[in-house]
Amino acid sequence: MAEVEEEKGVQYFSRDFEWERLRDEVERDPLSSYHLSPFTTAPFSPSPGVADADAWRSFHRCHSTGKFFKERRYILKEFPELIVCDASISVLEVGCGNGSTVLPILRSKQDIIIYACDCSQKALDKAGEMVTTADLTFRDRFYPFLHDFSIDKFPDWLLCTVCQRSSPRKNFIFTQDANGQCLIGSNKPACLEAECCSGGLDFVTLIFTLSAIPFQRMSFVVAECMTVLKPGGLLLFRDYGLFDMTMLRFPSEQRVGFREYIRLDGTLSYFFSLDIVRNLFLGAGFIELELEYCCVISVNQRSGKKMQRVWVHGKFQRPILSTTSLSS
Ligand SMILES: C[S@@+](CC[C@H](N)C(=O)[O-])C[C@H]1O[C@@H](n2cnc3c(N)ncnc32)[C@H](O)[C@@H]1O
């Protein structure tokens, strides 16, 4: 799948071609016309949290060696904010899979704590194993938890630095098993009513994760990400872009919504335009800092065939002052 191919690319943040030129080519190609047409039947809508999350669970059961996702070493180059500040920081990696994004962040500096969720216990087990294999001390800074972000709100203890650092540990939320997997106990923050419970994380990462859920549930997820960020905190986004090679390869039968496709294993893939990403994040109240297509030509090692890859790269900030505090 594409995540692996991206890892092989040489320059991740370059413009090997103009996205507008690719769009014109696709629009002129009669064989691609079905990708552009409005979606007439009802969009894909599995029972919440059942079909799509189940497909991902079964995906992780089939790829339990963990070799499928490679470490995303380019993450720090694309999002240097993660390492530039001196202070200790906290990150939530949403849909962490086997830890491809978690590992380079943990390696980058000592003062980073990562909370990471996924709907698949297998994925979390593998992530815990990869993290502890890389460095046993990483497990003190890595807190994986089972969570279906497309239907459930994030747990309360993520909302507040004080709750994360004191009460959850005392309340055995972060007890870990041999693989570094945390066993969640009480979920109640000590200071739910206190002022500090206004978002506790410095960063939230959504890396090839939002595209994995049905389009109708994306705005819920983005709004949830806002609630767990500190005022001024950053959301780091990277995902499939409109007209990416993998989108153009889907046959029409696998089209389940506008720009939305289902793989043969039942997992979903959505392809984002900049407008859609902007609407989702600004609609939830974020401030846009960076948003662009990343267009890279990668070459298939075996066939020598050139592939036009398109990803969307974005950085969004939770406003320092909320609209309610501005108006009061
Ligand atoms: C393409 S992988 C990306 C993994 C990781 N972010 C990375 O950088 O490699 C998407 C991940 O999202 C997880 N996922 C999909 N739907 C989910 C849901 N509703 N709740 C929690 N995790 C979900 C999948 O299990 C999978 O691990």
Side-chain angles (χ1 to χ4, degrees), residues 26-27 29-39 242-255 257-261 271:
V26 175
E27 285 177 353
D29 179 2
L31 294 176
S32 294
S33 61
Y34 62 91
H35 294 294
L36 310 173
S37 58
F39 200 77
L242 187 58
F243 306 136
D244 178 50
M245 171 209 79
T246 59
M247 169 180 169
L248 302 175
R249 276 184 182 173
F250 274 112
S252 60
E253 319 80 80
Q254 283 172 248
R255 194 169 175 241
F258 191 56
R259 301 173 183 167
E260 203 170 8
Y261 300 80
F271 294 85

Side-chain angles (χ1 to χ4, degrees), residues 11-13 18 20 52 58 116-117 121 131 133 137 139 155 162 186 188 201 215 217 222 245 258 292 315-316 324:
Q11 290 178 302
Y12 301 109
F13 200 19
E18 289 298 316
E20 289 74 12
D52 49 312
S58 117
C117 69
Q121 187 59 52
V131 160
T133 306
T137 66
R139 59 184 285 180
V162 177
S186 164
K188 207 168 166 47
L201 298 160
F215 180 73
R217 296 203 219 125
V222 174
M245 171 209 79
F258 191 56
E292 58 191 323
K315 281 179 202 166
F316 298 90
T324 40

